[in-house]
Amino acid sequence: MSDVLLEKIEDGIATLTMNRPEARNAFTREMMDGLSESLARLAKDNSVRAVLLTGAGGAFCAGGDVKGFAANAGAKVNLDERIQDLRERMEVSRLLHEMPKPTLAVIPGPAAGAGFSLAMACDMRIASDDAKITTAFSKVGLSGDFGGSYFLTKLLGEAKAKELYFTADVVLGKEAEAIGMVNKSVPADELPAAAAAMAKKLASLPTVAVGYMKKNINTASEGTLSEVLDWEANQMIRSFETEDHRGAAVAFVEKRTPEFKGR
């Protein structure tokens, strides 16, 4: 990994840390390329049971480099090439949303713009209760990217998503929990322990079945009932064939707690 993106794998948990604390972990091309490579690889790594995404230095991610935007304002560009380039980089959000294992955003501080979008792309979110979370885009005359409008609309509904995108109001972690934007908020000094406990719980689950659940729920939010029933039937029969299921069934009969292996 490069210095701007740190990777650690321990006890089945892959932790990716965006590491530009002097810039509140604002994106660079190197960081985005690293995230794309890491997430694609971790999705296929059977030793990884959960992926945790966070930022260094008390921030999650400030999104794009606004100073860079200002420096390039007015420069002649090829719009089609820039659109294609951005679309390719935005695959990071799809990987977080679709990879067949749980993803957890740990938000110690500011999450804004595309950084906000990455947090929303994760399956679950835990934040410090004073973390500042904002769409931010309208403050700099932009419409938004990295799937934030998709995820926020799914989480909070159209009216609230429009409010938060139009106004770019700051939502603190405690309020974000109250409205359902994050799963849990805790005091800042408790966040590392609470995040570690949540990640450990996710990594202890039957990974294959959780991946199938994730696909079912994603389909449920986008498709018809018939499509969901098709997927549920497919994934349910496949999960019957896993070692995790067979071991858990025996443990249930024997009245003991199952130990899942992710197979």
Side-chain angles (χ1 to χ4, degrees), residues 94-170:
R94 186 187 62 78
L95 288 167
L96 286 166
H97 183 60
E98 294 184 0
M99 68 189 304
K101 51 194 69 178
T103 55
L104 172 66
V106 178
I107 308 172
F116 162 88
S117 298
L118 286 191
M120 296 303 110
C122 292
D123 298 317
M124 298 175 64
R125 287 154 292 282
I126 183 170
S128 65
D129 55 16
D130 60 353
K132 295 180 178 180
I133 304 171
T134 174
T135 61
F137 295 108
S138 71
K139 296 291 188 183
V140 289
L142 295 173
S143 57
D145 55 8
F146 284 83
S149 56
Y150 175 91
F151 300 118
L152 195 62
T153 301
K154 297 290 186 184
L155 284 169
L156 304 184
E158 187 176 309
K160 192 66 176 179
K162 286 179 178 177
E163 175 191 335
L164 293 175
Y165 262 82
F166 294 173
T167 66
D169 285 345
V170 172

Side-chain angles (χ1 to χ4, degrees), residues 17-263:
T17 303
M18 295 173 283
N19 187 40
R20 295 186 67 220
E22 74 284 357
R24 294 187 174 181
N25 306 314
F27 290 157
T28 65
R29 173 58 66 107
E30 185 181 11
M31 184 189 292
M32 296 310 298
D33 288 347
L35 278 171
S36 294
E37 186 280 327
S38 292
L39 291 171
R41 171 170 44 80
L42 295 171
K44 299 175 183 177
D45 186 341
N46 291 334
S47 71
V48 173
R49 310 280 299 281
V51 175
L52 186 157
L53 179 65
T54 192
F60 183 75
C61 177
D65 182 358
V66 179
K67 290 182 180 178
F69 298 163
N72 294 324
K76 290 185 178 180
V77 298
N78 183 310
L79 286 179
D80 289 338
E81 288 181 1
R82 287 194 63 188
I83 290 168
Q84 181 61 29
D85 179 65
L86 177 58
R87 178 63 185 86
E88 290 174 359
R89 285 184 284 131
M90 286 164 61
E91 281 292 289
V92 170
S93 294
R94 186 187 62 78
L95 288 167
L96 286 166
H97 183 60
E98 294 184 0
M99 68 189 304
K101 51 194 69 178
T103 55
L104 172 66
V106 178
I107 308 172
F116 162 88
S117 298
L118 286 191
M120 296 303 110
C122 292
D123 298 317
M124 298 175 64
R125 287 154 292 282
I126 183 170
S128 65
D129 55 16
D130 60 353
K132 295 180 178 180
I133 304 171
T134 174
T135 61
F137 295 108
S138 71
K139 296 291 188 183
V140 289
L142 295 173
S143 57
D145 55 8
F146 284 83
S149 56
Y150 175 91
F151 300 118
L152 195 62
T153 301
K154 297 290 186 184
L155 284 169
L156 304 184
E158 187 176 309
K160 192 66 176 179
K162 286 179 178 177
E163 175 191 335
L164 293 175
Y165 262 82
F166 294 173
T167 66
D169 285 345
V170 172
V171 178
L172 296 181
K174 186 179 295 185
E175 180 188 354
E177 179 185 11
I179 64 176
M181 186 186 293
V182 304
N183 298 82
K184 186 176 184 179
S185 66
V186 297
D189 60 351
E190 297 177 16
L191 183 62
M198 186 177 288
K200 182 178 180 180
K201 184 173 184 177
L202 292 173
S204 73
L205 300 173
T207 311
V208 177
V210 168
Y212 291 156
M213 292 176 193
K214 184 168 175 174
K215 179 63 179 178
N216 290 341
I217 293 169
N218 289 348
T219 302
S221 70
E222 301 157 16
T224 66
L225 175 58
S226 290
E227 289 170 332
V228 173
L229 294 176
D230 289 344
W231 270 109
E232 285 189 343
N234 182 292
Q235 314 288 44
M236 187 68 169
I237 295 304
R238 291 180 183 277
S239 59
F240 270 117
E241 300 304 309
T242 63
E243 181 181 324
D244 279 344
H245 163 68
R246 291 192 292 269
V250 172
F252 179 85
V253 172
E254 296 176 353
K255 297 183 179 180
R256 56 180 174 81
T257 302
E259 182 179 349
F260 294 118
K261 304 292 187 181
R263 300 190 290 269

